[in-house]
Amino acid sequence: MFIIKKLLGSLLMPLPLCLLISFSGLFFLWCGKRAFAGKILTTLGLMGLLVMSYGPVARALNAPLDCRYESYSTSRRAKSDAKPKPSVKYVVVLAGGHKSDPLVPVTGWMSGDSLIRLLEGIRILRRSPGAKLILSGGGGAGPVPEAMVMAEVSEFLGVPAGDMILESTSNDTKDQACLIKPIVGKAPFVLVTSAAHMPRSMALFEKLGMFPIPGPAGSTSRAKMSFSPEDLFPSVSALDDATRAVHEYFGIIWGRLKGQI
């Protein structure tokens, strides 16, 4: 079921889906039958890919996700009408993808998302005296669990091994929430993941009766960014941002259908 979910999820992302629609249209055109349907499908596929590759569209898709939570900061004074943040016992960092390659230094194994999440987690850890760093992530398609990779990089950055707890068997965010619950119990903890991934992660952890404090890392959206000449042209980075947003929306829908959120 996990493999089927991943395959279907990958197929429904903007690039493969738009290409599938376009090539279906080309098939009808080359076969000489249903030429009108072929033209419609080809046009829809290419237009969809074009729209998803524009920066303003990507930012609009990401804004509801990225702007949901503010960055975590222990140095910021609490507002007069807000409760102060409780002292945290754990800082939980969710893996964001990696590839094991013995010919590359371990710092090159982690994806950009994983590195940003880990750095934010360590930043919060150093401002939370007595807290433990929980690194969560299984092996995926590689032989080395990502939690172990993050732990090795964390040691390079000065985090003692005794301050880390590894969860290295999970396959997805739901698994991470289920496996982290016995570790944190009812204790308050900071949940660190990408800003766009934070709404779904918070919902999954809260559904299981935990009390996460959001610690969004990085951002794929700049909702208040002023117009730039680059916005006139499609770009790979915009397509990547749009893909992340679509992935999260599908994840939220799936979680609600399964009763996980």
Side-chain angles (χ1 to χ4, degrees):
M1 190 63 185
F2 173 76
I3 295 176
I4 293 175
K5 182 182 74 172
K6 287 296 183 182
L7 289 174
L8 288 177
S10 298
L11 179 62
L12 293 175
M13 292 301 101
L15 179 59
L17 180 60
C18 290
L19 289 178
L20 178 62
I21 294 172
S22 296
F23 279 111
S24 298
L26 287 174
F27 173 78
F28 286 129
L29 289 174
W30 278 97
C31 288
K33 299 178 180 179
R34 299 182 180 179
F36 180 74
K39 293 178 182 179
I40 293 295
L41 289 174
T42 303
T43 301
L44 285 176
L46 292 176
M47 288 299 296
L49 186 59
L50 181 65
V51 169
M52 288 292 183
S53 300
Y54 273 104
V57 174
R59 290 197 294 273
L61 287 172
N62 275 281
L65 301 170
D66 287 345
C67 301
R68 184 79 60 87
Y69 299 101
E70 294 184 358
S71 299
Y72 183 91
S73 175
T74 55
S75 62
R76 181 183 302 161
R77 291 174 179 248
K79 296 180 181 179
S80 59
D81 60 344
K83 295 181 180 180
K85 289 186 175 72
S87 59
V88 296
K89 293 185 178 180
Y90 303 99
V91 178
V92 177
V93 179
L94 303 184
H98 80 296
K99 291 183 179 180
S100 305
D101 187 345
L103 301 178
V104 176
V106 69
T107 51
W109 290 16
M110 299 174 64
S111 67
D113 283 344
S114 282
L115 281 171
I116 292 173
R117 295 178 188 185
L118 182 60
L119 289 174
E120 178 64 8
I122 294 175
R123 182 189 74 85
I124 296 172
L125 179 73
R126 288 177 175 167
R127 296 189 176 188
S128 307
K132 298 291 185 180
L133 183 66
I134 300 178
L135 304 174
S136 176
V144 183
E146 186 165 359
M148 295 179 63
V149 177
M150 291 194 293
E152 190 170 346
V153 175
S154 297
E155 286 195 67
F156 293 159
L157 297 175
V159 180
D163 287 345
M164 292 185 281
I165 301 173
L166 307 188
E167 180 289 295
S168 57
T169 60
S170 58
N171 289 318
D172 55 20
T173 310
K174 172 188 161 293
D175 285 351
Q176 291 174 315
C178 292
L179 293 169
I180 288 172
K181 182 178 180 180
I183 302 174
V184 302
K186 298 292 184 179
F189 64 95
V190 181
L191 180 63
V192 180
T193 187
S194 301
H197 186 228
M198 185 59 72
R200 179 160 62 100
S201 300
M202 289 288 292
L204 287 168
F205 278 76
E206 289 173 342
K207 182 70 173 181
L208 292 176
M210 289 178 277
F211 301 94
I213 301 169
S219 176
T220 58
S221 175
R222 298 292 183 271
K224 297 182 179 180
M225 182 183 291
S226 59
F227 175 79
S228 168
E230 296 178 356
D231 290 334
L232 295 173
F233 305 98
S235 68
V236 174
S237 60
L239 179 61
D240 183 49
D241 286 350
T243 300
R244 296 185 189 197
V246 171
H247 174 80
E248 288 305 318
Y249 288 126
F250 275 123
I252 292 171
I253 293 171
W254 176 262
R256 288 176 177 171
L257 291 175
K258 298 287 289 183
Q260 301 167 356
I261 295 178

